[in-house]
Amino acid sequence: MTAKSSLLKVILLGDGGVGKSSLMNRYVTNKFDTQLFHTIGVEFLNKELEVDNHSVTMQIWDTAGQERFRSLRTPFYRGSDCCLLTFSVDDSQSFQNLNNWKKEFIYYADVKDPDSFPFVVLGNKIDILERQVSEEEAQAWCRNNGNHPYFETSAKDATNVPAAFEDAVRRVLAIEDRTDQLIHTDMVNLNRKPKPSSSCC
Amino acid sequence: MASTDCVQHRSSTWLSYFLLYDASKVKGECDLTRDGIKYFHPPQPQERGGSEAALSNRIRGERLEPPCRDTRETDIDQQELLCGQVAGVVRCMTEIISSPPTLIRLRKLKFAIRIHGDFLWALGCSMEVTDISCKKYLDDLIGLFRFYNGPLWRAYKVHPHQELSDDWRIYLEYLQRITTDLSRIFHSLNHVDKTKVDPLLLLKATLILQTCQRFPHVFAGCILYNDRVVSTQLPPPLTSKILVERIYAYRRPPSLLNNFSDDPVLPDGVRLLEVFVKEQDAKSLCQYPVQWTTRVSSDVSGITSSMSPELEIHPSQSVSESTLEKENENTAIPQIKVQGNAEGTGAPVTSEDLDVGGIATDMALHIPTSGVPVHSSSPVKVLNRHDLMVDQGRITRTSPEIRSTDIHEAGISLPSTGSVVACVSTFEMDKQSFDSESSTSEDSQVSFRHQPVEACPSISTPVPVEEHAKGVHHSEVIQRTENIGALGDHTEGYLELRSNNTDNSVVFSESTDLNLSIKSSTDTDWTLTLDSSPPVSSSKLVKLTLYVHNVKGLVLSLLAGMHFKYEKGLVQDVYDGTLAALNGLEVHLKETMPPNSHNSVTKTAYSFTHYDFIQNILTANLPSSSSAHDLLFLRAASLINTDFNLYPSLKEITVSSHTGTFLHSTLQVAHSSRSQHLLSATTRNASSALYACQSTVHQTYFQQLAPPNRNSGYPDPQDSAFHLPSKAKQKLLKHGFNLL
């Protein structure tokens, strides 16, 4: 891999009100707005960053969590390189729905190999003291559902937000490296064959 | 007047000439007329290679052959001739009747005229363009110039003339580009097709605008996608000016664009412009930003509701300040008539009568007194409705519900012919003179109108009250808002004083725009009236900042105070706060409405046009390239539209034709029996028929293209024309329009 800038599509999924938009805004603009409207459909922001000498443009897609916006958001799942499953630590329901979000994503994004697709789990709003979901619970769920990395974040306090997104990028790059190698070996074979034939003519 | 009656033009283009003339440059005998020509369209040959018809003037008996017949260029000599003639006519008229004409109608061309100090604008349109539209377009052009360039006198002091000429050209091109046959009739803004867009996306657009209003100095804005309105919090006149912004920005070198914003670090895709908004507009934007927001809960209701703030604002204003200044933003209730008590049939009017649906309208107050006609220079405050007292008069409000039926009850006889001469009633005369279609015998007539300002030197009174009295039996004060519809942002409030008593000095005032304007989109223009002296007019314009953020064709435009750009980080904050949502909205809209999918109009067995006054939305199934049949439809719709506007009590019209041309006489027949609310006039032997109906919220036109025609030659209920209304109602239901 050279240092060329590549575009990575990262999508935030999770129940309405868990703080997906706030996480995105905190990460990209470093601002926090307590009065955000519900997201309708999808929104996205680009963020350029450098991870392990890779300059990357991360396109963060923020989605509407409410069920009624499902038809607007699902067409945009396709082409995602990484999915950030988000819940709020003060809302156990949002935690329990992670399974559904994962299923919905796999279905609509048409993920070929769900087991190797990079999911990252974010437990947001850790600034709130009355937690309904403990860190252990969340860790356990991640272990049991494909060994996803887990980050506890607070968009309000700017806790751990960049770390979570950067980790997502790292995982995507890691997978791309692997597939790049796979593709390379294939490509070599395919390309070599036609070359002699074309030069013959 | 008679000397310029042979200006030829190509019928393919409705806009023939536009000129701006500065009379102050041409005072003496030796002054060249060309020195006074500030701008002339079509330009001189060397300025631009053109394509089309040239000018052929016969002036003072000598026929001038255009040097190059097939180019849209005008030789400087001919420019001089036309300017000189127009200016001469205007001057002559002004001297004779002490008020300049607003429209000069020639045989094949009509010129809308605007005067501002020494400046004179004239817009030459072909005869197909109605008088109302012609004048409206001129006001639109002037309005655009004022919006982006500020007051004329200032603009010509500050900016190089060539630059301003380029601007005029941009506005002219824009005007010609956006006006389709239908939009010329209805003056609607181009909206996105709301039947195709998920309402949630419209809501999203509205929420983006509301988010912006939370930032300091931001008043209101609008969101456009590919030059079509997605959501707007602004009244249509302002929205329409922002529509032109993209072209404007595109044409101008960037250095000139941001000559006032020295901030080099504007976010990507963002530009700041200084714009000039009428004081009243600005005031209403400033004072009730939140209210605008809450009213504009979705785009659907946006246009109407955005008008309303005026209402709240006005009563609080001081008399001296705003007086009758009223922006008639409501499309539905633009006109208020105050009639002299000679009619005697009306009930006393209370202030509540004027306050319908919480929407401000233009109002006029006429107080009949006995005495010499007096042009009161003291503003009369009508803004506070509770103060309104009209003794011995009655106010007939042509509200949506009762529009102008009262007038009929008042016993004003209405003429059945289109000729002005035939008009008996002044009320009618007033209107008829503007019915270009009908006044065939009056083609060369110059309509003289009195501009209120003339009569009323108090410039701070945009809508002066003329107290007129002596022996006026039925004097009507008709105050109208000149509606500039889709483009203009001028609101000219007038007070119109009419009398049919010939002994009196009849004061004509400008009234033409009554109709289209009423329904069309709502504009108002008081500035022009105010413009009699440059300093005053300039003070009436408020400089604002226009924030424009373009995301791949999705344009967020915000009007903000001048401090907006100076407050550190504010622009960035607005940008950060909206970028994600705009990105999202853009991909959603791109998905639902591919940019090139407009012209997929499936042709059906019928043509229809539905114009919604409230939402300012025009729906039609006419393809953009008009066939002969469509042209016929448009012609008929245009005629009926004129009539509908003249006679708001008309609910339905069916016109028929057997010669391929809709006969206007049919409509005239219709008028004669206009005491009926429901009216259906059908000529016999008809081969095609068009049905039209109107209410306060819509006008709808329907024509069956391949009608199974049955005509018995006498009024037979089995005839197909009689089935047209029910057919129309049935077919239009499929498009979501309930006419039942």
Side-chain angles (χ1 to χ4, degrees), chain B residues 424-427 429 468-476 497-508:
Chain B
V424 185
S425 129
T426 54
F427 172 67
M429 200 155 143
H468 173 82
K470 184 177 156 195
V472 176
H473 293 310
H474 8 181
S475 62
E476 288 177 43
L497 188 53
R498 294 265 162 164
S499 164
N500 65 346
N501 185 337
T502 48
D503 294 337
N504 279 294
S505 58
V506 178
V507 182
F508 289 89

CSV table of all heavy atoms in Angstrom, one decimal, chain B residues 424-427 429 468-476 497-508:
chain,number,residue,atom,x,y,z
B,424,VAL,N,-68.8,51.6,-18.5
B,424,VAL,CA,-69.5,52.6,-17.8
B,424,VAL,C,-69.0,52.8,-16.4
B,424,VAL,O,-68.8,53.9,-16.0
B,424,VAL,CB,-71.0,52.2,-17.8
B,424,VAL,CG1,-71.8,53.4,-17.3
B,424,VAL,CG2,-71.5,51.9,-19.2
B,425,SER,N,-68.9,51.7,-15.8
B,425,SER,CA,-68.5,51.8,-14.5
B,425,SER,C,-67.0,52.0,-14.3
B,425,SER,O,-66.2,51.5,-15.1
B,425,SER,CB,-68.9,50.5,-13.8
B,425,SER,OG,-67.8,50.0,-13.1
B,426,THR,N,-66.7,52.9,-13.4
B,426,THR,CA,-65.3,53.1,-13.3
B,426,THR,C,-64.6,51.9,-12.8
B,426,THR,O,-63.4,51.7,-13.1
B,426,THR,CB,-65.1,54.2,-12.3
B,426,THR,OG1,-65.8,53.8,-11.1
B,426,THR,CG2,-65.7,55.5,-12.8
B,427,PHE,N,-65.2,51.2,-12.0
B,427,PHE,CA,-64.6,50.1,-11.4
B,427,PHE,C,-64.1,49.2,-12.6
B,427,PHE,O,-63.0,48.6,-12.6
B,427,PHE,CB,-65.6,49.3,-10.6
B,427,PHE,CG,-65.2,48.0,-10.1
B,427,PHE,CD1,-64.1,47.9,-9.2
B,427,PHE,CD2,-65.8,46.9,-10.6
B,427,PHE,CE1,-63.7,46.7,-8.8
B,427,PHE,CE2,-65.4,45.6,-10.2
B,427,PHE,CZ,-64.3,45.5,-9.3
B,429,MET,N,-63.8,50.1,-15.7
B,429,MET,CA,-62.8,50.7,-16.5
B,429,MET,C,-61.4,50.5,-16.1
B,429,MET,O,-60.5,50.2,-16.8
B,429,MET,CB,-63.1,52.2,-16.5
B,429,MET,CG,-62.6,53.0,-17.6
B,429,MET,SD,-63.7,54.4,-17.8
B,429,MET,CE,-62.5,55.6,-18.3
B,468,HIS,N,-59.9,62.2,-1.3
B,468,HIS,CA,-60.5,62.7,-2.5
B,468,HIS,C,-62.0,62.8,-2.3
B,468,HIS,O,-62.6,61.9,-1.7
B,468,HIS,CB,-60.2,61.8,-3.7
B,468,HIS,CG,-60.9,62.2,-4.9
B,468,HIS,ND1,-60.5,63.1,-5.7
B,468,HIS,CD2,-62.1,61.7,-5.4
B,468,HIS,CE1,-61.3,63.2,-6.8
B,468,HIS,NE2,-62.3,62.4,-6.6
B,469,ALA,N,-62.5,63.9,-2.7
B,469,ALA,CA,-63.8,64.0,-2.2
B,469,ALA,C,-64.9,64.5,-3.1
B,469,ALA,O,-65.9,64.0,-3.3
B,469,ALA,CB,-63.8,64.8,-1.0
B,470,LYS,N,-64.6,65.6,-3.6
B,470,LYS,CA,-65.7,66.5,-4.0
B,470,LYS,C,-66.7,65.8,-5.0
B,470,LYS,O,-66.3,65.5,-6.1
B,470,LYS,CB,-65.0,67.7,-4.7
B,470,LYS,CG,-66.0,68.7,-5.2
B,470,LYS,CD,-65.2,69.8,-5.8
B,470,LYS,CE,-66.0,70.6,-6.8
B,470,LYS,NZ,-65.1,71.4,-7.6
B,471,GLY,N,-67.8,65.6,-4.5
B,471,GLY,CA,-68.9,65.1,-5.3
B,471,GLY,C,-68.6,63.7,-5.9
B,471,GLY,O,-69.1,63.4,-7.0
B,472,VAL,N,-67.8,63.0,-5.3
B,472,VAL,CA,-67.6,61.7,-5.8
B,472,VAL,C,-68.7,60.8,-5.4
B,472,VAL,O,-68.9,60.6,-4.2
B,472,VAL,CB,-66.2,61.2,-5.3
B,472,VAL,CG1,-66.0,59.8,-5.8
B,472,VAL,CG2,-65.1,62.1,-5.8
B,473,HIS,N,-69.3,60.3,-6.3
B,473,HIS,CA,-70.5,59.5,-6.0
B,473,HIS,C,-70.1,58.0,-5.7
B,473,HIS,O,-70.3,57.5,-4.6
B,473,HIS,CB,-71.5,59.5,-7.0
B,473,HIS,CG,-72.1,60.9,-7.1
B,473,HIS,ND1,-72.5,61.5,-6.0
B,473,HIS,CD2,-72.3,61.7,-8.2
B,473,HIS,CE1,-73.0,62.7,-6.3
B,473,HIS,NE2,-72.9,62.8,-7.6
B,474,HIS,N,-69.5,57.5,-6.6
B,474,HIS,CA,-68.8,56.3,-6.1
B,474,HIS,C,-67.3,56.4,-6.4
B,474,HIS,O,-66.9,56.3,-7.5
B,474,HIS,CB,-69.3,55.0,-6.7
B,474,HIS,CG,-70.2,54.9,-7.7
B,474,HIS,ND1,-70.6,53.7,-8.2
B,474,HIS,CD2,-70.8,55.8,-8.5
B,474,HIS,CE1,-71.4,53.9,-9.1
B,474,HIS,NE2,-71.6,55.1,-9.3
B,475,SER,N,-66.8,56.7,-5.4
B,475,SER,CA,-65.3,56.7,-5.5
B,475,SER,C,-64.8,55.4,-4.8
B,475,SER,O,-65.4,55.0,-3.8
B,475,SER,CB,-64.7,57.9,-4.8
B,475,SER,OG,-65.1,57.8,-3.4
B,476,GLU,N,-63.9,54.9,-5.4
B,476,GLU,CA,-63.4,53.7,-4.8
B,476,GLU,C,-62.0,53.9,-4.6
B,476,GLU,O,-61.3,54.5,-5.4
B,476,GLU,CB,-63.5,52.5,-5.8
B,476,GLU,CG,-64.8,52.0,-6.0
B,476,GLU,CD,-64.7,50.9,-7.0
B,476,GLU,OE1,-63.8,50.1,-6.9
B,476,GLU,OE2,-65.5,50.9,-8.0
B,497,LEU,N,-57.8,55.7,-6.6
B,497,LEU,CA,-59.0,56.5,-6.4
B,497,LEU,C,-59.7,56.6,-7.7
B,497,LEU,O,-59.1,57.0,-8.7
B,497,LEU,CB,-58.5,57.9,-5.8
B,497,LEU,CG,-59.6,58.7,-5.4
B,497,LEU,CD1,-60.5,58.0,-4.4
B,497,LEU,CD2,-59.0,60.0,-4.8
B,498,ARG,N,-60.9,56.3,-7.7
B,498,ARG,CA,-61.6,56.3,-8.9
B,498,ARG,C,-62.9,57.0,-8.8
B,498,ARG,O,-63.6,56.8,-7.8
B,498,ARG,CB,-61.9,54.9,-9.3
B,498,ARG,CG,-60.7,54.1,-9.6
B,498,ARG,CD,-60.5,54.2,-11.1
B,498,ARG,NE,-59.2,53.8,-11.3
B,498,ARG,CZ,-58.7,53.5,-12.6
B,498,ARG,NH1,-59.6,53.5,-13.5
B,498,ARG,NH2,-57.5,53.3,-12.7
B,499,SER,N,-63.3,57.6,-9.8
B,499,SER,CA,-64.6,58.2,-9.7
B,499,SER,C,-65.2,58.1,-11.1
B,499,SER,O,-64.5,58.3,-12.1
B,499,SER,CB,-64.5,59.6,-9.3
B,499,SER,OG,-65.7,60.3,-9.6
B,500,ASN,N,-66.4,57.9,-11.1
B,500,ASN,CA,-67.1,58.0,-12.4
B,500,ASN,C,-67.8,59.3,-12.7
B,500,ASN,O,-68.5,59.4,-13.7
B,500,ASN,CB,-68.1,56.8,-12.5
B,500,ASN,CG,-69.2,57.0,-11.6
B,500,ASN,OD1,-69.1,57.8,-10.7
B,500,ASN,ND2,-70.3,56.3,-11.8
B,501,ASN,N,-67.5,60.1,-11.8
B,501,ASN,CA,-68.1,61.5,-12.0
B,501,ASN,C,-67.1,62.2,-12.9
B,501,ASN,O,-66.0,62.6,-12.4
B,501,ASN,CB,-68.3,62.1,-10.7
B,501,ASN,CG,-69.0,63.4,-10.9
B,501,ASN,OD1,-68.9,64.0,-11.9
B,501,ASN,ND2,-69.7,63.9,-9.8
B,502,THR,N,-67.5,62.5,-14.1
B,502,THR,CA,-66.5,63.2,-14.9
B,502,THR,C,-66.2,64.6,-14.6
B,502,THR,O,-65.3,65.2,-15.0
B,502,THR,CB,-67.0,63.1,-16.4
B,502,THR,OG1,-68.4,63.6,-16.4
B,502,THR,CG2,-67.0,61.7,-16.9
B,503,ASP,N,-67.1,65.2,-13.8
B,503,ASP,CA,-66.8,66.5,-13.4
B,503,ASP,C,-65.6,66.6,-12.5
B,503,ASP,O,-64.9,67.6,-12.4
B,503,ASP,CB,-68.0,67.1,-12.6
B,503,ASP,CG,-69.2,67.2,-13.6
B,503,ASP,OD1,-68.9,67.3,-14.8
B,503,ASP,OD2,-70.3,67.2,-13.1
B,504,ASN,N,-65.4,65.6,-11.9
B,504,ASN,CA,-64.3,65.6,-11.0
B,504,ASN,C,-63.0,65.3,-11.7
B,504,ASN,O,-62.9,64.7,-12.7
B,504,ASN,CB,-64.4,64.4,-10.0
B,504,ASN,CG,-65.3,64.8,-8.9
B,504,ASN,OD1,-65.0,65.7,-8.1
B,504,ASN,ND2,-66.5,64.2,-8.8
B,505,SER,N,-62.0,65.8,-11.1
B,505,SER,CA,-60.7,65.4,-11.6
B,505,SER,C,-60.5,63.9,-11.3
B,505,SER,O,-60.5,63.6,-10.1
B,505,SER,CB,-59.6,66.2,-11.0
B,505,SER,OG,-59.7,66.1,-9.6
B,506,VAL,N,-60.4,63.2,-12.3
B,506,VAL,CA,-60.3,61.8,-12.0
B,506,VAL,C,-58.9,61.5,-11.8
B,506,VAL,O,-58.0,61.8,-12.5
B,506,VAL,CB,-60.8,61.0,-13.2
B,506,VAL,CG1,-60.7,59.5,-13.0
B,506,VAL,CG2,-62.3,61.3,-13.5
B,507,VAL,N,-58.7,60.8,-10.7
B,507,VAL,CA,-57.3,60.4,-10.4
B,507,VAL,C,-57.2,59.0,-10.8
B,507,VAL,O,-57.8,58.1,-10.2
B,507,VAL,CB,-57.0,60.6,-9.0
B,507,VAL,CG1,-55.6,60.3,-8.7
B,507,VAL,CG2,-57.3,62.1,-8.6
B,508,PHE,N,-56.4,58.8,-11.7
B,508,PHE,CA,-56.1,57.4,-12.1
B,508,PHE,C,-54.9,57.0,-11.3
B,508,PHE,O,-53.9,57.7,-11.2
B,508,PHE,CB,-55.7,57.2,-13.5
B,508,PHE,CG,-56.9,57.4,-14.5
B,508,PHE,CD1,-57.2,58.7,-14.9
B,508,PHE,CD2,-57.7,56.4,-14.8
B,508,PHE,CE1,-58.2,58.9,-15.8
B,508,PHE,CE2,-58.7,56.6,-15.7
B,508,PHE,CZ,-59.0,57.8,-16.1
